[in-house]
Amino acid sequence: MRSNFNDGGLFSNRKGHLHWKILFSGYNLYQYLIHARKHFQLKSSNGHPLNAVSLQDTAILILGLAGKPLANDHSEPQEIEASVTASSEKVGSTLSITVVGASGDLAKKKIFPALFALYYEDCLPEDFTVFGYARTKLTDEELRNMISKTLTCRIDKKENCEDKMDQFLMRCFYYSGLYSSEEHFAVLDSRLKEKEAGKLSNRLFYLSIPPNIFVDVAKCASLRASSATGWTRVIVEKPFGRDSESSGELTRSLKQYLREDQIFRIDHYLGKELVENLSVLRFSNLVFEPLWSRNYIRNVQFIFSEDFGTEGRGGYFDNYGIIRDIMQNHLLQILALFAMETPVSLDAEDIRNEKVKVLRSMQPLLLENVIVGQYKGHNKGSKSYPAYTDDPTVPKGSLTPTFAAAALFLNNARWDGVPFLMKAGKALHTKRAEIRVQFRHVPGNLYKRNFGTDLDKATNELVLRLQPDEAIYLKINNKVPGLGMRLDRSDLNLLYRSRYPTEIPDAYERLVLDAIEGERRLFIRSDELDAAWALFTPLLKELEEKKIVPELYPYGSRGPVGAHYLAAKYNVRWGDLSGEDS
Ligand SMILES: NC(=O)C1=CN([C@@H]2O[C@H](COP(=O)(O)OP(=O)(O)OC[C@H]3O[C@@H](n4cnc5c(N)ncnc54)[C@H](OP(=O)(O)O)[C@@H]3O)[C@@H](O)[C@H]2O)C=CC1
Ligand SMILES: O=C1O[C@H](COP(=O)(O)O)[C@@H](O)[C@H](O)[C@H]1O
């Protein structure tokens, strides 16, 4: 179990806790809290003592046991949750995780492996159960066989891994049911109760299913399989609608059955290590924050590229396209984190308040600032690569973009006039995700003549490579050693695999753990979602109404040339095409 608390400091540096220790010594509160700490102090990703409140409520609970009232129905949800969390320690508590859509691709590829990794890292509570739920008929054993194929051990920690896998699999069970059947969820509830054995239960539902059945499942889970004693939370996978209207409708429907604080809208890019590090880099290093504005930054680029097509997911993809699949969520979320003002604290609401301000400050996205593309078939040597429209699940003549580039602007004092460029594409020449920050020219540069006419090539560029091979590097101009005065471009390079020889956790591990711990910072709040859709919906409607034909690009190429013209319009060169990268 990950623990946040510094043993020596718990009571001495928190005045209130010291007070309680004395006040409740008759209940052996110290022992109680130490025990609670051991079992409940899971550390969330913001590194804060999340359960400090719970410990406080432990004291309140004891006060309650001594005759004062406990949180009632009028309390804030978090307060109830905290009191319940605390009371659970008396009777023992358990966590039940139900993966709805357990037979699907995401569940097998990401969710079960993330749960195993958390178990292996001792991040799950001692008492937990995992249930798979889907329509496919499977026995517990068949589910275990299915998921065992995708569980992996950490490269750097192999010891006891096989045993741990077996132990984990023994905690996994399956129930086959329909997504809209309250009766089936009632049976699931009784199966969960059997495993929970009368303990206080916290329940997490992961909706790894197509979006058209989100609401059915939220309804059935909420009405028939909610925990009666602990918290119930629901992780919802994207897509959260396909425009403002459908997203608003989805939010309203979900909120018929769930409170906002129970809904965890996942954007797995927010769980990526380098996206987490973006704020650390900026706010904890004096050298970056003063440069973080229009005064020093010429443009910022958010680049996503995959070297494979929609293989197998064409049916889903054709209804969404690359703008909805990648830009409206992953890239825009990173942009918001990048551009936000310093939040009041690292608390979820403070960070999300700042992000939403960025999203609301975006200038409308004009069609003239967007280019779209679609990959076409291509032969290379003896190998042939299919066109997007060769996918049998894609309608012939589809105009759905598999590539898009956009120039966005923010209407605020910090970023006025700075182009924020996004580029996302499938079936390109490489698999990569990066944030690139290109700085302005050095005014009155003494070494100007050493760069020749191409001053652009000599600007500093900060690159955060999110994947693969995580790295942060800064392109600088440097004197080539020797008697002459020759400059070249070099990198100050932080290559993660050299500096941190441990395996980086998958984004899903961090996010599932945060959901278990009630840490909402990396999940999308409904107002963020509304603002993100408000930005993209008019553009998407215009593209569809005007039936804009995407520019074709060969499978495995660098994408349509239109992207260069778009960047050039703002005097920008795409950083990933400069050919001098580490
Ligand atoms: N796969 C990925 O890499 C990613 C997926 N997502 C999102 O995660 C969610 C799950 O993705 P993924 O696992 O790929 O999805 P799948 O298409 O594999 O669906 C998951 C499960 O849902 C059930 N299902 C599928 N279609 C229907 C339908 N029309 N009606 C009712 N049930 C259906 C099936 O289970 P059964 O038939 O057994 O009931 C299936 O195994 C989706 O919302 C997706 O957009 C997000 C990011 C990446
Ligand atoms: O959400 C999605 O993300 C994946 C890419 O995720 P990554 O973590 O492998 O970079 C993308 O392939 C998929 O189309 C999209 O729905």
Side-chain angles (χ1 to χ4, degrees):
M1 183 101 20
R2 289 200 282 172
S3 165
N4 257 331
F5 278 79
N6 168 333
D7 276 347
L10 181 63
F11 297 104
S12 59
N13 66 3
R14 304 191 68 148
K15 226 169 149 191
H17 288 170
L18 180 65
H19 175 69
W20 293 328
K21 183 181 163 187
I22 297 162
L23 190 62
F24 296 106
S25 56
Y27 293 91
N28 200 1
L29 185 64
Y30 183 80
Q31 286 302 320
Y32 188 92
L33 290 178
I34 291 295
H35 188 56
R37 180 180 60 190
K38 183 162 177 283
H39 292 279
F40 284 90
Q41 294 310 310
L42 299 165
K43 188 168 74 184
S44 71
S45 64
N46 77 0
H48 268 188
L50 239 198
N51 292 336
V53 177
S54 305
L55 286 178
Q56 212 163 321
D57 282 84
T58 306
I60 294 167
L61 171 82
I62 294 165
L63 197 63
L65 294 176
K68 298 227 171 144
L70 289 171
N72 59 31
D73 287 345
H74 307 296
S75 309
E76 287 300 307
Q78 289 86 344
E79 283 174 351
I80 298 170
E81 206 172 89
S83 300
V84 169
T85 305
S87 70
S88 67
E89 201 53 27
K90 286 278 172 202
V91 287
S93 78
T94 176
L95 171 68
S96 302
I97 303 165
T98 304
V99 181
V100 182
S103 56
D105 179 59
L106 187 73
K108 280 183 262 190
K109 222 171 52 188
K110 293 289 184 184
I111 306 170
F112 288 113
L115 290 171
F116 170 64
L118 291 176
Y119 172 68
Y120 190 63
E121 294 282 328
D122 259 351
C123 290
L124 293 180
E126 272 165 29
D127 196 341
F128 78 93
T129 306
V130 175
F131 259 84
Y133 185 102
R135 296 171 307 181
T136 302
K137 301 263 180 273
L138 292 176
T139 61
D140 292 343
E141 211 40 52
E142 284 166 335
L143 172 83
R144 290 170 188 161
N145 277 337
M146 182 182 86
I147 63 182
S148 66
K149 299 189 178 88
T150 53
L151 305 185
T152 55
C153 304
R154 289 265 196 264
I155 294 162
D156 50 328
K157 287 188 189 169
K158 292 253 186 236
E159 74 279 8
N160 303 328
C161 188
E162 296 295 320
D163 293 347
K164 283 280 207 177
M165 269 189 200
D166 291 342
Q167 288 157 17
F168 174 78
L169 290 170
M170 294 319 289
R171 308 267 198 119
C172 296
F173 303 90
Y174 186 77
Y175 179 66
S176 161
L178 298 177
Y179 298 113
S180 56
S181 166
E182 287 189 36
E183 278 167 32
H184 292 173
F185 273 83
V187 180
L188 172 71
D189 181 61
S190 51
R191 299 262 332 252
L192 291 171
K193 280 187 178 133
E194 272 169 35
K195 306 291 173 208
E196 291 162 355
K199 293 179 184 159
L200 184 146
S201 67
N202 293 317
R203 292 186 181 174
L204 178 66
F205 290 86
Y206 196 129
L207 307 198
S208 180
I209 43 175
N212 59 317
I213 47 177
F214 285 167
V215 179
D216 285 344
V217 173
K219 176 182 177 191
C220 296
S222 164
L223 298 179
R224 296 307 191 101
S226 276
S227 166
T229 49
W231 50 254
T232 301
R233 295 177 189 147
V234 178
I235 299 181
V236 188
E237 261 296 346
K238 62 174 261 256
F240 315 118
R242 41 184 328 277
D243 52 24
S244 290
E245 205 186 348
S246 51
S247 164
E249 179 55 33
L250 177 62
T251 300
R252 278 189 295 282
S253 304
L254 288 176
K255 284 186 180 177
Q256 283 184 283
Y257 306 106
L258 300 164
R259 295 185 314 266
E260 174 67 20
D261 68 289
Q262 293 181 285
I263 305 172
F264 287 69
R265 295 178 194 85
I266 204 164
D267 183 314
H268 77 279
Y269 265 64
L270 291 183
K272 293 199 185 266
E273 188 62 41
L274 264 82
V275 176
E276 266 289 73
N277 198 38
L278 182 55
S279 299
V280 177
L281 188 75
R282 176 178 166 196
F283 296 123
S284 75
N285 292 294
L286 188 64
V287 292
F288 292 116
E289 177 53 18
L291 304 183
W292 223 255
S293 74
R294 66 190 301 277
N295 297 332
Y296 297 98
I297 292 178
R298 286 173 71 199
N299 67 77
V300 190
Q301 303 175 12
F302 302 90
I303 300 171
F304 167 96
S305 83
E306 275 181 342
D307 55 1
F308 50 89
T310 52
E311 283 111 61
R313 290 186 79 216
Y316 150 80
F317 190 87
D318 200 67
N319 196 23
Y320 290 90
I322 199 79
I323 297 176
R324 293 184 177 92
D325 194 42
I326 303 293
M327 282 189 169
Q328 180 273 347
N329 36 66
H330 305 327
L331 298 189
L332 189 61
Q333 282 296 320
I334 301 173
L335 184 155
L337 267 180
F338 180 95
M340 72 182 182
E341 296 299 315
T342 314
V344 174
S345 76
L346 290 176
D347 286 351
E349 298 323 317
D350 289 333
I351 292 175
R352 298 192 295 184
N353 287 344
E354 294 308 326
K355 280 169 62 199
V356 86
K357 281 187 213 163
V358 172
L359 298 174
R360 287 194 183 142
S361 309
M362 306 290 306
Q363 281 180 16
L365 181 50
L366 306 176
L367 187 57
E368 68 203 41
N369 279 340
V370 175
I371 79 112
V372 288
Q374 190 186 84
Y375 63 89
K376 62 179 181 183
H378 173 57
N379 291 323
K380 201 174 175 187
S382 58
K383 204 159 167 28
S384 68
Y385 297 90
Y388 171 65
T389 47
D390 289 340
D391 184 329
T393 57
V394 169
K396 291 289 162 230
S398 166
L399 296 180
T400 300
T402 58
F403 176 100
L408 299 108
F409 292 88
L410 266 158
N411 268 337
N412 69 20
R414 184 185 285 269
W415 297 113
D416 190 16
V418 177
F420 284 80
L421 297 176
M422 285 183 182
K423 186 165 75 165
K426 290 190 175 273
L428 294 173
H429 71 297
T430 183
K431 178 168 166 55
R432 207 166 257 229
E434 291 175 337
I435 306 169
R436 287 180 169 257
V437 188
Q438 295 186 345
F439 291 88
R440 292 192 181 282
H441 300 135
V442 175
N445 195 332
L446 286 176
Y447 297 97
K448 200 172 176 170
R449 66 184 176 81
N450 298 73
F451 304 126
T453 49
D454 199 353
L455 264 183
D456 276 3
K457 272 199 144 181
T459 58
N460 296 121
E461 186 172 13
L462 174 68
V463 182
L464 279 81
R465 189 163 67 223
L466 314 183
Q467 63 188 32
D469 211 6
E470 291 82 350
I472 302 175
Y473 55 97
L474 178 65
K475 296 184 174 214
I476 57 157
N477 302 305
N478 200 48
K479 179 181 170 302
V480 178
L483 297 178
M485 177 52 73
R486 197 159 63 80
L487 305 194
D488 77 355
R489 300 272 287 151
S490 290
D491 292 342
L492 298 180
N493 197 347
L494 173 59
L495 191 56
Y496 271 48
R497 89 178 116 80
S498 313
R499 173 69 182 88
Y500 305 107
T502 53
E503 193 174 322
I504 294 178
D506 187 77
Y508 282 87
E509 292 174 38
R510 189 189 314 278
L511 294 168
V512 170
L513 180 58
D514 275 4
I516 292 169
E517 294 170 0
E519 167 60 67
R520 293 165 178 83
R521 187 173 53 94
L522 300 177
F523 293 89
I524 318 292
R525 208 167 60 185
S526 65
D527 55 348
E528 286 185 82
L529 185 60
D530 293 346
W533 277 121
L535 176 65
F536 278 97
T537 298
L539 168 83
L540 289 161
K541 287 219 154 76
E542 202 176 345
L543 280 168
E544 283 154 14
E545 278 162 17
K546 292 188 173 158
K547 297 195 181 349
I548 301 292
V549 179
E551 188 180 330
L552 296 179
Y553 60 95
Y555 192 120
S557 69
R558 288 174 181 264
V561 282
H564 303 278
Y565 293 120
L566 176 66
K569 184 169 145 189
Y570 295 103
N571 207 11
V572 175
R573 192 191 304 233
W574 290 104
D576 62 332
L577 303 178
S578 66
E580 4 164 284
D581 278 354
S582 309

